[in-house]
């Protein structure tokens, strides 16, 4: 490791420039957020916009407070979070397993290809009524919807990651007499790790779509339920609040995945 | 020992069938280093796949002696997520022979051929020539009797190529392994081999065989020998270039 004192003046200037750039980015981000929230609040206070329709940051904070006071804040958050995470985990693991099976068998891949393509392009919300009738109106129905929305992309992304593995390495494994299971374990899984990480990032976004969409169709609780309910009774504060919390949660979950990726690809 | 007896091989594709190899006969004796040269696309890789039994011949017979095969490919195909050591152990893991004793043997080989300081590094930290040496040690770790080399130097720049060429020949000779190399590089074939087999264009069949016994045992001294140029000319004419 080089000591900082050993760097040339030019290099130190370069480092400083890089650091300044970073600081500018971070400050600008914070400023942008504050500006948007501030303008929104001021416009609502001065009645430039109607806070009954648009709500306002202070009303959102008040709503969070009252939800917290009557003890339902974490209940709703918990329900939606549980549905999303459960759906996400099921979609990723089952999707990964299916992708493995499809990788192992060319024939199975060819047979199932058109079905996967059709299922991928089908708007999953069209299956809403069927899901309600088959599974009911509990949160298992919503988890099922979440899985449905994200699993196809999980399968397709992971499979294309498997298939993109360097052919020379496959020949090498074959020349050592490796069977499919060994090739999977020693080569395909580690080689396709970056593809898996990408899949997780896409899947986490889709899982949120699935769970909130599920709650729109059937639910008695959750953030999606609050949004729909708030819309129906014209409590836009509630709608905005739930949306705001969703932003935080979705961003947080993405952050966790990004952190895992950093750890894994180190 | 490895013997090709009247081997023919035909590829089948939707567009039709292609005879890659027809009526091929040659022998690789134990401890011999044999090179097969031929024009590009004449089915050289097919010959190695037939030798290793990855492909079954359409007709004829491949007679194999005792012992296993080890493959060395055009590119090193090292796994970037494993260390050099991990790469060398790969064939042991695949062949379910990952015992402490075998690992120690593999490490001994690695140290003997100058990889001691690189064992804990990742392939990306190594030069092209060094990577190819790791690939060779990986192949040898499984203790094969016959090495099948598929243009293992073709992806390297010229200078590295000469170095690695020397390197590989020295290691294979001192480990007393039998080797079958396919290449399109005439000078490489002369520099490395005890015997050169010249193939025709597709469908490949043997045009001529040459024993090479001048210039001592190292590729370097061969290249410096006066007969090198003459042999090169003969082979060049036989290849029709």
């Amino acid at each position: 490791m080089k000591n900082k004192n050993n760097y040339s003046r030019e290099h130190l200037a370069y480092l400083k420039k890089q650091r300044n750039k970073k600081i500018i980015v971070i400050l600008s981000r914070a400023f942008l957020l504050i500006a948007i929230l501030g303008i929104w609040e001021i416009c609502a206070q001065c009645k430039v916009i109607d806070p009954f329709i648009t709500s306002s940051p202070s009303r959102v904070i008040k709503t969070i407070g009252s939800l917290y006071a009557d003890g339902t804040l974490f209940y709703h958050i918990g329900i939606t979070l549980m549905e999303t995470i459960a759906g996400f985990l099921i979609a990723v693991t089952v999707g990964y397993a299916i992708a493995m099976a499809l990788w192992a068998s060319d024939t199975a891949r060819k047979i199932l290809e058109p079905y996967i393509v059709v299922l991928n392009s089908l708007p999953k919300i069209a299956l809403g009524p069927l899901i309600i009738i088959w599974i009911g109106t509990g949160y298992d129905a919503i988890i099922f919807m979440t899985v449905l929305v994200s699993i196809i992309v999980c399968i397709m992304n992971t499979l294309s990651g498997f298939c993109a593995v360097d052919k020379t390495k496959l020949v090498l494994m074959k020349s050592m007499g490796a069977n499919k299971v060994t090739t999977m374990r020693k080569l395909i899984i580690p080689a396709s790790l970056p593809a898996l990480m990408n899949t997780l990032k896409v899947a986490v976004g889709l899982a949120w779509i699935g769970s909130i969409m599920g709650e729109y169709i059937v639910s008695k609780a959750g953030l999606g339920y609050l949004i729909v309910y708030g819309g129906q009774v014209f409590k836009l504060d509630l709608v905005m609040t739930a949306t705001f919390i969703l932003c935080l949660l979705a961003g947080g979950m993405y952050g966790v995945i990004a952190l895992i990726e950093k750890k894994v690809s180190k | 020992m490895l013997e090709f007896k009247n081997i023919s091989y035909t590829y089948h594709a939707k567009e039709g069938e292609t005879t890659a190899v027809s009526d091929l006969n040659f022998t690789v004796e134990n401890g011999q280093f044999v090179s097969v040269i031929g024009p590009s696309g004449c089915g050289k890789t097919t010959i190695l796949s037939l030798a290793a039994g990855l492909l079954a011949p359409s007709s004829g017979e491949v007679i194999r002696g005792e012992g296993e095969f080890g493959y060395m490919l055009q590119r090193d195909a090292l796994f970037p997520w494993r260390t050099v050591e991990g790469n060398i152990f790969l064939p042991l893991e695949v062949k379910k022979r990952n015992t402490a004793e075998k690992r120690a043997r593999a490490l001994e080989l690695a140290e003997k051929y100058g990889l001691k300081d690189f064992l804990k590094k990742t392939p990306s930290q190594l030069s092209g020539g060094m990577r190819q040496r790791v690939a060779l040690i990986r192949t040898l770790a499984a203790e094969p009797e016959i090495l099948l080399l598929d243009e293992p130097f073709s992806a390297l720049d010229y200078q590295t190529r000469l170095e690695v060429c020397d390197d590989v020949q020295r290691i294979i000779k001192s480990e007393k392994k039998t080797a079958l190399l396919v290449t399109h590089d005439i000078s490489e074939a002369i520099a490395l081999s005890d015997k050169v087999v010249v193939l025709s264009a597709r469908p490949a069949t043997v045009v001529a065989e040459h024993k090479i016994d001048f210039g001592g045992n190292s590729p370097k001294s061969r290249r410096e020998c006066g007969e090198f140029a003459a042999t090169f000319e003969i082979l060049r004419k036989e290849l029709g270039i």
Side-chain angles (χ1 to χ4, degrees), chain B:
Chain B
M1 201 210 50
L2 179 69
E3 187 179 354
F4 278 64
K5 252 182 143 174
N6 310 321
I7 294 292
S8 294
Y9 185 80
T10 306
Y11 274 107
H12 297 276
K14 228 188 261 170
E15 295 75 29
E17 50 183 358
T18 321
T19 305
V21 175
S22 121
D23 200 25
L24 189 70
N25 288 289
F26 70 88
T27 314
V28 183
E29 302 291 348
N30 281 338
Q32 220 178 12
F33 196 125
V34 174
S35 290
V36 172
I37 57 171
S40 328
C42 76
K44 294 189 287 276
T45 303
T46 310
I47 290 171
L48 288 190
S49 299
L50 286 164
L54 294 175
L55 293 175
S58 305
S59 67
E61 195 185 357
V62 180
I63 301 166
R64 298 183 188 85
E66 293 283 295
E68 280 184 39
F69 290 87
Y71 233 100
M72 195 169 164
L73 303 158
Q74 259 173 50
R75 286 184 295 130
D76 52 64
L78 296 177
F79 291 3
W81 56 88
R82 284 172 174 242
T83 58
V84 166
E85 189 180 63
N87 272 290
I88 291 172
F89 293 154
L90 179 71
L92 300 180
E93 293 170 27
V94 170
K95 291 174 193 255
K96 310 230 166 10
R97 275 188 230 148
N98 196 10
T99 59
E101 183 200 347
K102 297 270 177 197
R103 276 201 305 275
R105 291 274 287 278
L107 285 181
E108 207 177 287
L109 265 178
E111 283 173 19
K112 187 169 165 194
Y113 296 112
L115 293 177
K116 190 170 199 258
D117 298 333
F118 300 97
L119 288 173
K120 302 290 178 201
K121 296 206 171 354
T122 58
S124 60
Q125 293 170 295
L126 268 53
S127 68
M130 211 43 144
R131 291 172 64 113
Q132 206 51 288
R133 193 192 293 191
V134 175
L136 176 62
I137 301 298
R138 175 185 61 194
T139 311
L140 291 173
E143 298 175 27
E145 278 312 309
I146 303 186
L147 290 165
L148 303 173
L149 312 169
D150 188 356
E151 303 197 36
F153 317 114
S154 63
L156 302 168
D157 62 76
Y158 193 72
Q159 206 176 342
T160 319
R161 198 167 168 157
L162 291 180
E163 273 168 37
V164 177
C165 202
D166 273 28
D167 222 32
V168 166
Q169 197 264 2
R170 180 173 58 92
I171 296 171
I172 289 176
K173 280 289 167 196
S174 74
E175 294 300 314
K176 298 191 174 54
K177 301 291 181 193
T178 308
L180 175 60
L181 165 81
V182 297
T183 178
H184 58 257
D185 188 318
I186 302 173
S187 60
E188 203 168 274
I190 304 171
L192 284 168
S193 328
D194 303 314
K195 183 164 92 175
V196 179
V197 177
V198 184
L199 296 186
S200 66
R202 211 163 56 197
T205 188
V206 177
V207 176
E209 279 191 19
H210 297 273
K211 278 224 152 46
I212 314 279
D213 43 17
F214 58 81
N217 236 337
S218 90
K220 195 163 172 286
S221 62
R222 283 260 175 90
R223 288 183 205 269
E224 283 161 358
C225 187
E227 283 161 279
F228 189 87
T231 315
F232 187 96
E233 278 309 304
I234 295 170
L235 291 177
R236 190 182 63 79
K237 286 199 184 104
E238 280 169 356
L239 281 174
I241 28 178

